[in-house]
């Protein structure tokens, strides 16, 4: 049986003609002709699937077809959608199918979940209408100089300005949300708009740094990289040295205080061109918080951040996300290896002397050890004079900026 995988249109047409001849002969089962017909049919189907893929059916069209097939009216779909108004909105493509609707329709109408998932989101224009622009912190964004003065602008003009601010950062809109997956414990339904506004500002600020960034290489990120970064904390100018070090490695570092109402320490993400970004809010003006947040976000860049991800972190909140746990572990190990920590006098009998001794041995700032003791014991009254209080913002923000953000 001389048959080959179909690679050309001529070969496809030749096999198609042969199949038509064989089918006209109606060969008996288990004969040579029958076997050849079966093989040729398989080859033709494989070629057609690769050359002319069938687009998935539109879910609304599939529902309407099944309604016609079964003689159903819109009122008959209420059990699957919940209310008659929802039936009308979905069938007129004004509301997307939810998971619950898909499950109910799959069972009730016999439609596959794949068909219903297909293209169930409403179109882009409808999605944009679902964005409540009034929920953006427009006054604070204007006060910080992110937007032009819009106090006397018409509502529609304000929406255009904010939309332009968000889209300039590459945060395009998808179905009822933004085309950027937010992870981390700082995100919540009540802070989504503020977080996206802050994120847009961070991306725009990072682009102002691109001219002075070095060339980023993924394979530079490693445990040794984190350890080298951690040891910069030994210097009084450590935070500035860390930013300089990261930017030489092609990582943009942005200092942008959090917006009111958000509980945000830092973020890790990539711009649309792949430039890695670490952003810090300096929410707590302490050296221990600065250093742990910085290494936590760099660990995210190393292990977790893709082109459409953004990790926004509230490091005071315990997370069940394994990626957050891994970033915490990598940051802790970079500063103080676990084996060293458990055997150290700073852990066994913490005192100012034992903390400073371990800090000198590891070439890290004492604030990091003091911060770890406070965190693990849950006693934040311990060693307040060792945490580097009020020693970070002064390095990055002017007095006027600090006052404006109070």
């Amino acid at each position: 049986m001389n048959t080959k995988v179909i690679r050309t249109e001529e070969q496809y047409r030749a096999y198609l003609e042969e199949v038509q001849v064989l089918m006209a002969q109606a060969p008996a089962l288990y004969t040579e002709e029958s076997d050849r017909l079966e093989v040729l049919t398989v080859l033709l189907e494989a070629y057609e699937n690769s050359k002319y893929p069938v687009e998935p059916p539109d879910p609304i069209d599939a529902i309407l077809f099944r309604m016609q097939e079964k003689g159903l009216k819109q009122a008959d779909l209420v059990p699957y959608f919940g209310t008659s108004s929802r039936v009308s909105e979905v069938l007129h493509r004004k509301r997307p199918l939810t998971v619950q609707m898909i499950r109910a329709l799959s069972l009730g109408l016999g439609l596959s979940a794949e068909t219903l998932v297909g293209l169930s989101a409403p179109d882009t224009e409808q999605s944009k209408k679902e964005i409540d622009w009034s929920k953006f912190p427009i006054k604070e964004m204007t006060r910080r100089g992110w937007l032009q003065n819009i106090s006397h602008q018409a509502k529609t003009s304000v929406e255009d300005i904010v939309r332009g601010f968000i889209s300039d950062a590459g945060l395009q809109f998808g179905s009822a949300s933004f085309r950027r997956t937010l992870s981390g414990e700082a995100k919540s339904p009540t802070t989504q708009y503020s977080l996206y506004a802050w994120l847009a500002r961070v991306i725009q600020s990072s682009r102002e740094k691109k001219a002075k960034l070095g060339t980023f290489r993924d394979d530079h990120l490693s445990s040794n990289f984190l350890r080298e970064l951690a040891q910069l904390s030994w210097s009084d100018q450590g935070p500035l040295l860390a930013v300089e070090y990261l930017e030489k490695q092609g990582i943009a570092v942005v200092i942008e205080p959090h917006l009111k109402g958000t509980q945000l320490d830092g973020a890790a993400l990539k711009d649309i061109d792949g430039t890695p970004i670490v952003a810090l809010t300096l929410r707590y003006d302490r050296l221990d918080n600065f250093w742990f947040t910085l290494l936590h976000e760099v660990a995210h860049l190393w292990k977790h951040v893709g082109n459409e991800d953004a990790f926004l972190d509230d490091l005071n909140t315990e997370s069940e996300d394994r990626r957050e746990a891994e970033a915490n572990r990598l940051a802790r190990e970079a500063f103080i290896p676990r084996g060293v920590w458990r055997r150290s006098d700073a852990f066994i009998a913490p005192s100012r002397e034992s903390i400073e001794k371990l800090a000198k041995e590891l070439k890290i700032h004492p604030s990091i050890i003091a911060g770890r003791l406070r965190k693990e014991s849950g006693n934040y009254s311990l060693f307040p004079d060792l945490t580097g209080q009020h020693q970070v913002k002064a390095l990055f923000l002017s007095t006027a900026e600090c006052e404006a953000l109070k």
Side-chain angles (χ1 to χ4, degrees):
M1 188 181 295
N2 185 21
T3 53
K4 297 180 180 179
V5 173
I6 301 175
R7 301 191 185 281
T8 65
E9 192 69 14
E10 292 75 19
Q11 189 181 3
Y12 167 74
R13 286 197 294 268
Y15 280 2
L16 189 60
E17 290 176 4
E18 187 176 352
V19 163
Q20 292 171 345
V21 171
L22 289 170
M23 290 179 67
Q25 294 174 356
L29 290 174
Y30 309 120
T31 62
E32 185 176 341
E33 291 77 11
S34 174
D35 291 343
R36 182 164 179 76
L37 176 60
E38 184 177 357
V39 170
L40 290 176
T41 302
V42 170
L43 292 173
L44 287 167
E45 184 177 353
Y47 180 82
E48 289 168 351
N49 287 340
S50 63
K51 189 74 173 178
Y52 314 107
V54 179
E55 294 185 0
D58 177 81
I60 304 306
D61 288 342
I63 294 171
L64 293 172
F65 177 81
R66 188 55 54 90
M67 287 173 64
Q68 184 179 15
E69 188 178 48
K70 291 180 172 288
L72 301 176
K73 298 179 180 179
Q74 286 195 19
D76 298 317
L77 299 187
V78 171
Y80 309 121
F81 291 87
T83 66
S84 58
S85 62
R86 287 181 185 171
V87 175
S88 177
E89 288 172 352
V90 170
L91 295 184
H92 286 86
R93 306 176 191 276
K94 294 181 179 180
R95 176 190 287 266
L97 290 169
T98 65
V99 173
Q100 292 82 359
M101 291 176 188
I102 290 170
R103 185 180 295 115
L105 289 167
S106 181
L107 293 173
L109 297 185
L111 293 169
S112 71
E114 290 78 9
T115 296
L116 295 169
V117 168
L119 304 170
S120 60
D123 61 31
T124 303
E125 288 304 313
Q126 179 61 33
S127 299
K128 289 181 180 179
K129 293 177 183 178
E130 295 176 14
I131 302 297
D132 187 346
W133 296 99
S134 67
K135 290 186 178 180
F136 280 95
I138 295 171
K139 289 184 178 179
E140 189 174 2
M141 292 165 70
T142 304
R143 181 170 63 84
R144 291 197 184 190
W146 299 0
L147 305 173
Q148 59 183 287
N149 193 325
I150 57 177
S151 57
H152 302 296
Q153 300 277 355
K155 180 180 178 182
T156 54
S157 178
V158 171
E159 291 184 359
D160 288 340
I161 291 169
V162 178
R163 183 187 289 112
F165 175 79
I166 298 295
S167 62
D168 283 348
L171 299 177
Q172 303 300 322
F173 299 111
S175 174
S177 65
F178 305 82
R179 199 173 300 156
R180 173 74 71 165
T181 302
L182 296 189
S183 301
E185 296 307 313
K187 65 182 179 64
S188 72
T190 59
T191 60
Q192 173 176 267
Y193 289 92
S194 291
L195 290 177
Y196 272 108
W198 180 87
L199 198 61
R201 175 63 175 182
V202 163
I203 293 171
Q204 291 166 356
S205 296
S206 75
R207 291 173 181 170
E208 297 172 3
K209 296 173 171 279
K210 286 186 179 179
K212 67 176 184 179
L213 294 180
T215 301
F216 175 71
R217 286 179 51 183
D218 281 312
D219 57 1
H220 282 178
L221 296 178
S222 64
S223 296
N224 287 336
F225 183 95
L226 291 179
R227 182 65 182 154
E228 290 175 8
L229 184 61
Q231 290 185 336
L232 292 176
S233 67
W234 182 246
S235 169
D236 290 339
Q237 298 295 306
L240 294 176
L241 294 175
V243 171
E244 181 181 352
Y245 177 74
L246 289 172
E247 294 190 339
K248 283 183 178 178
Q249 300 298 323
I251 300 171
V253 181
V254 175
I255 306 296
E256 185 60 59
H258 66 293
L259 291 166
K260 291 179 180 178
T262 62
Q263 305 299 312
L264 183 61
D265 290 304
L269 63 149
K270 289 183 178 179
D271 200 350
I272 52 177
D273 65 354
T275 300
I277 304 169
V278 166
L280 304 175
T281 67
L282 310 186
R283 179 162 66 119
Y284 299 105
D285 188 6
R286 301 193 319 265
L287 284 171
D288 66 316
N289 183 265
F290 170 86
W291 284 107
F292 188 81
T293 303
L294 181 68
L295 265 74
H296 179 96
E297 304 306 342
V298 174
H300 273 319
L301 285 181
W302 176 23
K303 293 290 187 177
H304 310 129
V305 171
N307 290 332
E308 294 188 357
D309 301 303
F311 285 81
L312 283 79
D313 292 311
D314 170 9
L315 297 181
N316 278 346
T317 302
E318 294 298 326
S319 175
E320 295 182 358
D321 189 326
R322 61 172 183 78
R323 298 169 298 178
E324 295 298 336
E326 184 176 28
N328 283 338
R329 178 181 59 78
L330 291 169
R332 284 195 301 266
E333 286 290 306
F335 288 118
I336 316 170
R338 182 168 40 187
V340 173
W341 177 236
R342 292 291 174 177
R343 294 194 301 270
S344 70
D345 290 339
F347 175 78
I348 298 169
S351 66
R352 185 184 187 91
E353 292 73 23
S354 63
I355 289 172
E356 291 178 343
K357 178 176 179 291
L358 181 60
K360 187 175 182 180
E361 291 173 358
L362 296 174
K363 297 181 180 179
I364 62 174
H365 198 278
S367 65
I368 296 164
I369 300 171
R372 183 159 177 175
L373 285 167
R374 288 154 58 98
K375 176 72 172 179
E376 291 186 358
S377 67
N379 183 356
Y380 291 92
S381 65
L382 294 175
F383 309 109
D385 58 329
L386 291 181
T387 61
Q389 187 76 33
H390 306 305
Q391 294 183 32
V392 184
K393 285 185 178 180
L395 294 173
F396 294 103
L397 303 176
S398 67
T399 303
E401 287 175 318
C402 291
E403 288 298 320
L405 293 168
K406 287 182 178 178

